[in-house]
Amino acid sequence: MRDRPIGVFDSGIGGLTVVKQLTREMPSEDIVYFGDTARVPYGTKSPSTIRKFSIENVLFLLNFDVKLIIIACNTSSAIGLPFLSKYFSVPIIGVIKPGAKAAIRATRNGRVGVIGTTATISSKAYEKEIKALNPGIKVYSKNCPLFVPLVEEGWAGDGIVDIAARKYLSALKEKKIDTVILGCTHYPLLKPAIQKVMGKTVKLVDSAEETAKEARNLLEACGLKYPGRRAGRSKFYVSDAPGKFLTVAKRFLGKDVKTAEQVKDV
Ligand code: DGL
């Protein structure tokens, strides 16, 4: 059981930010990653479509006899996780709760901002999670739909991101928040631009880091963490355009991905 891989899925490539943190946190674990590149983005789609895709992604990962599934996608975690946990017996975690907990730890003035895709922000998933853990915290949210395509285009360091960040975030800045949850897999790549607008004292919470820690705690608590030392292997599957995935992967993972297999029917 402890030898089995961890399954990770995302709507596309952004979940590699979670894989990066997972391999830091637990280098001996094997990982099977599925990126639904044929149907990305999820962030603009309806809850029923996002739930349907999420179920199909879980079913695909179950083919690999995974011991844990991590939904490395904020949109799918926000909308799919409560539903998936009811129907599957394999442990499934998402990125919302870890991010919410980290924000609660980080805030000093009890004012937290959340940014994400339109579907994530409309679901109010972060807000509900924060309020459930600490009802006194004030949460201010903003969807930033252009951030995902800007990152995918490779423009994370471009002036166009500064313009978009100013436009999206200036109202949030006026709320005097001291912590912002980067509630989308792509946003860690935009940290410099977001920090510039919000000011350098504002803490940016990266859900990917927190999720990797949560996964480790869960595996340890269930006695499922790989016990020895080895170099864990990662395998990558996508539903479309493996070539593009390989080209962009380095930006998210911090190192090259050598192969990604295209899956025909998910
Ligand atoms: N992975 C998605 C998320 O974290 C961003 C990309 C998309 O819209 O599918 O919300």
Side-chain angles (χ1 to χ4, degrees):
M1 185 76 173
R2 294 182 295 186
D3 290 358
R4 285 153 55 175
I6 299 173
V8 180
F9 80 80
D10 176 41
S11 55
I13 198 154
L16 291 178
T17 52
V18 175
V19 174
K20 182 178 173 185
Q21 298 303 331
L22 271 178
T23 47
R24 267 194 197 158
E25 200 64 36
M26 295 182 282
S28 298
E29 297 290 346
D30 287 343
I31 295 171
V32 178
Y33 180 89
F34 175 66
D36 195 5
T37 47
R39 305 189 290 196
V40 70
Y42 285 9
T44 52
K45 298 201 167 68
S46 69
S48 61
T49 298
I50 295 164
R51 274 196 288 271
K52 175 180 177 289
F53 292 171
S54 303
I55 293 170
E56 289 164 357
N57 299 344
V58 168
L59 289 171
F60 173 72
L61 287 173
L62 289 178
N63 291 322
F64 298 89
D65 206 16
V66 291
K67 59 183 174 186
L68 165 70
I69 291 181
I70 302 176
I71 309 181
C73 171
N74 288 261
T75 305
S76 186
S77 299
I79 287 137
L81 179 59
F83 180 80
L84 294 172
S85 306
K86 272 195 229 154
Y87 292 100
F88 293 97
S89 55
V90 64
I92 306 179
I93 63 170
V95 291
I96 306 288
K97 196 175 204 161
K101 278 191 194 161
I104 293 170
R105 278 200 307 276
T107 183
R108 295 284 161 260
N109 69 1
R111 302 170 77 83
V112 171
V114 181
I115 55 176
T117 65
T118 300
T120 298
I121 297 304
S122 308
S123 76
K124 298 194 185 321
Y126 273 109
E127 201 170 327
K128 287 180 201 156
E129 202 65 60
I130 292 172
K131 293 279 183 196
L133 294 166
N134 185 338
I137 290 185
K138 293 230 173 331
V139 182
Y140 301 93
S141 305
K142 179 76 186 102
N143 60 332
C144 308
L146 280 182
F147 279 175
V148 167
L150 287 171
V151 171
E152 298 253 337
E153 195 62 31
W155 288 354
D158 198 282
I160 193 166
V161 172
D162 293 324
I163 297 170
R166 268 202 306 278
K167 202 148 176 103
Y168 283 141
L169 304 176
S170 35
L172 211 51
K173 188 175 163 60
E174 281 169 22
K175 304 289 182 197
K176 310 256 179 286
I177 53 184
D178 70 351
T179 303
V180 176
I181 298 177
L182 304 176
C184 174
T185 48
H186 289 56
Y187 298 0
L189 278 82
L190 302 177
K191 271 184 183 171
I194 295 168
Q195 195 85 66
K196 209 192 290 174
V197 177
M198 296 310 298
K200 56 179 184 300
T201 57
V202 170
K203 169 107 176 120
L204 304 183
V205 172
D206 179 348
S207 299
E209 277 174 33
E210 302 304 325
T211 304
K213 288 184 194 142
E214 175 112 348
R216 185 196 173 117
N217 292 341
L218 181 77
L219 289 180
E220 279 173 351
C222 308
L224 288 176
K225 188 165 169 288
Y226 183 76
R229 271 170 167 265
R230 65 176 179 188
R233 286 161 307 172
S234 300
K235 287 185 101 178
F236 300 91
Y237 296 87
V238 292
S239 47
D240 197 16
K244 186 184 174 207
F245 180 85
L246 295 179
T247 313
V248 188
K250 193 172 182 183
R251 255 183 258 144
F252 290 84
L253 196 59
K255 62 178 186 199
D256 281 327
V257 174
K258 302 254 175 325
T259 54
E261 198 174 308
Q262 183 170 353
V263 178
K264 284 278 170 273
D265 298 303
V266 176

